[in-house]
Amino acid sequence: MRKLRISLLFILLSLGLHSQETESQLGEAGFENITLETEVDSLKLYFEHREFRNPYHGMLYANRLLGKADPELPRKNSTFFPVFHNQLMGRYEAQTYNFSPLSESDRHFYAENNKVFKNYRFNFRLHPEVVSRFGYYEDPFETKFNMILDTRIYLASGVSLQTGITIPIVNNLDNHGMKLRAAPSMLHYFVQPWNAHFFSLSAGTFYNDRYGFDLEYRFARMDSRWSFGFAGGVTGFYRLYGLEYYSEPVDDLYGVADVEWRTGIEHTTLKLSAGQFLYQDKGMRLDLIKQFAAAELGLFAARTDIGTTGGFQFAFSLFPGKILRGKKNEVRTTEEFRWEYTYNNEDPVAQQFRIGMPRLADLLRNYNEAWIKHLSNNN
């Protein structure tokens, strides 16, 4: 009996040492919010990696690092818990990438071990802001190109503040001017209180010269082809000229509902949105979205009170990702650069503004089990 106790103590000490070494190696590779739950025959890894827009790439990277750290780690019984903005998204088996909803014990363990201020680097992010208009005879290509340096500060579980500075590079599109100014700055609250129910609440100054409040809700099971959601809020117009500030009342109401269906054909998704967009613009929009391993490409058409339009959009992680990384600080490029072109570039047909994080539909699409398993089968 004494030998058995000594053996068990030795195993537990070894597992603890392996966990510390593994956490250190994962941290050096850019992982944050790392929590390891190691037992004799299983391993659970809770993590976030803000360099990747697709959680699969974080799980793939973790799998490779775990194998290099210690080939004896029980990876056959490993489970990954990807985290987004300090919130658990679900659980995925490390070898098969099968998805299962979070259990109460998963949530309890994470809540007990999650230390918001300790688990994040001070992260500086570089990303471009590009707005273009084509077709004028005197100036056929009008564009505004800014480089934004911003950061996200986590205040509590799911609560973060995003702020930064806008650096104008080129502007022959509007009267924004070429002075340095504050980047869109907003307070976010992101949460999944119950499995498959996601909420996002934002308040502050947004992109597209909007400020005010934005609320999103989405029901999305990661093992289903269907999801639906609603986005609504109230905003007003604002503009910064260096340190000068101009604003109009917050009185522009909007509310848009949508339903999304994964077709199962070539990893395409159909999304139908309808409601009141910005500027009291009522109508609907249809998107056809195709997912690629490192990007997303979409076509859309819209018909509203203001007019009819169509166009395309794309999203991808901006190269090179990591620029500088230390234990407490990191400089990187954005995990998602998203741009949209519409042929009707005069009238704001079916417009929604950008907030400081991806819209829930765009975010959760990447966590779908079918998509993640497809990526794993091609690696």
Side-chain angles (χ1 to χ4, degrees):
M1 180 63 71
R2 184 179 179 183
K3 289 182 178 179
L4 178 61
R5 289 177 179 173
I6 293 173
S7 298
L8 288 173
L9 180 61
F10 177 75
I11 291 172
L12 291 173
L13 287 172
S14 298
L15 288 173
L17 290 173
H18 285 319
S19 296
Q20 291 178 5
E21 293 176 4
T22 304
E23 284 190 30
S24 177
Q25 292 183 359
L26 289 169
E28 291 174 2
F31 288 83
E32 300 173 293
N33 227 332
I34 305 163
T35 303
L36 274 170
E37 186 179 1
T38 307
E39 298 178 1
V40 175
D41 60 347
S42 67
L43 179 146
K44 295 180 179 179
L45 173 62
Y46 302 74
F47 73 89
E48 186 167 358
H49 202 308
R50 288 188 281 172
E51 187 177 324
F52 303 125
R53 67 180 293 271
N54 194 315
Y56 167 72
H57 294 120
M59 291 188 278
L60 177 66
Y61 198 10
N63 248 333
R64 292 174 177 172
L65 289 174
L66 288 174
K68 290 180 180 179
D70 188 347
E72 300 302 319
L73 281 172
R75 288 181 293 123
K76 291 184 179 179
N77 295 312
S78 298
T79 308
F80 291 145
F81 295 81
V83 175
F84 180 79
H85 285 207
N86 207 243
Q87 292 291 301
L88 291 176
M89 301 298 289
R91 54 186 293 160
Y92 297 82
E93 300 303 320
Q95 298 304 306
T96 63
Y97 295 98
N98 288 330
F99 168 83
S100 56
L102 296 168
S103 66
E104 287 303 316
S105 61
D106 297 331
R107 292 178 180 273
H108 179 74
F109 178 84
Y110 183 73
E112 288 290 315
N113 292 275
N114 180 34
K115 299 178 178 59
V116 177
F117 299 105
K118 179 181 177 182
N119 289 347
Y120 284 100
R121 293 180 180 85
F122 203 68
N123 204 284
F124 295 96
R125 182 179 67 158
L126 280 166
H127 61 109
E129 180 187 21
V130 182
V131 183
S132 299
R133 184 167 60 202
F134 306 95
Y136 278 96
Y137 179 77
E138 295 181 357
D139 196 352
F141 183 64
E142 297 173 292
T143 187
K144 178 171 66 177
F145 174 58
N146 301 321
M147 184 60 70
I148 295 177
L149 176 64
D150 65 12
T151 189
R152 183 178 295 277
I153 302 168
Y154 289 90
L155 306 174
S157 183
V159 181
S160 62
L161 174 66
Q162 179 179 320
T163 189
I165 187 170
T166 296
I167 306 167
I169 307 297
V170 173
N171 185 12
N172 64 337
L173 177 68
D174 58 29
N175 61 352
H176 248 145
M178 296 295 290
K179 294 181 179 179
L180 291 175
R181 57 184 179 272
S185 302
M186 63 221 76
L187 189 68
H188 291 290
Y189 179 50
F190 172 73
V191 66
Q192 183 189 184
W194 312 284
N195 287 327
H197 296 270
F198 298 87
F199 294 85
S200 171
L201 176 64
S202 305
T205 58
F206 307 115
Y207 294 84
N208 307 88
D209 300 326
R210 310 306 296 180
Y211 80 107
F213 303 91
D214 178 82
L215 172 66
E216 282 191 275
Y217 162 75
R218 191 156 204 88
F219 176 80
R221 286 181 48 179
M222 306 308 179
D223 54 356
S224 172
R225 287 190 177 189
W226 292 91
S227 72
F228 60 86
F230 173 82
V234 57
T235 68
F237 174 84
Y238 90 100
R239 183 157 289 184
L240 284 173
Y241 303 89
L243 297 177
E244 298 178 21
Y245 178 78
Y246 169 78
S247 67
E248 296 179 358
V250 179
D251 57 6
D252 190 356
L253 288 168
Y254 73 95
V256 178
D258 76 84
V259 61
E260 189 170 289
W261 174 54
R262 300 184 66 86
T263 67
I265 303 171
E266 296 296 324
H267 315 294
T268 56
T269 298
L270 282 173
K271 179 183 176 185
L272 179 65
S273 308
Q276 179 165 292
F277 298 88
L278 288 180
Y279 314 111
Q280 286 78 48
D281 181 26
K282 299 179 179 68
M284 62 178 58
R285 166 173 164 154
L286 180 65
D287 286 81
L288 174 64
I289 302 160
K290 179 172 174 57
Q291 290 175 276
F292 297 90
E296 185 175 278
L297 177 64
L299 303 174
F300 69 89
R303 184 177 181 84
T304 69
D305 292 342
I306 293 180
T308 302
T309 192
F312 66 89
Q313 62 170 319
F314 55 80
F316 58 90
S317 298
L318 200 64
F319 181 82
K322 181 194 75 171
I323 299 174
L324 294 171
R325 179 182 295 148
K327 289 185 177 181
K328 300 295 182 182
N329 301 284
E330 182 175 63
V331 180
R332 63 179 176 87
T333 52
T334 182
E335 68 278 18
E336 179 176 278
F337 171 66
R338 184 173 291 272
W339 192 76
E340 180 175 292
Y341 169 76
T342 172
Y343 85 84
N344 186 342
N345 52 33
E346 278 293 317
D347 300 318
V349 179
Q351 273 198 5
Q352 280 186 290
F353 61 88
R354 289 171 50 214
I355 57 176
M357 60 178 277
R359 289 291 182 179
L360 290 184
D362 298 326
L363 167 69
L364 300 176
R365 196 176 300 125
N366 289 315
Y367 285 84
N368 188 271
E369 179 188 61
W371 174 237
I372 288 177
K373 293 181 80 168
H374 162 73
L375 292 176
S376 68
N377 291 331
N378 287 273
N379 275 295

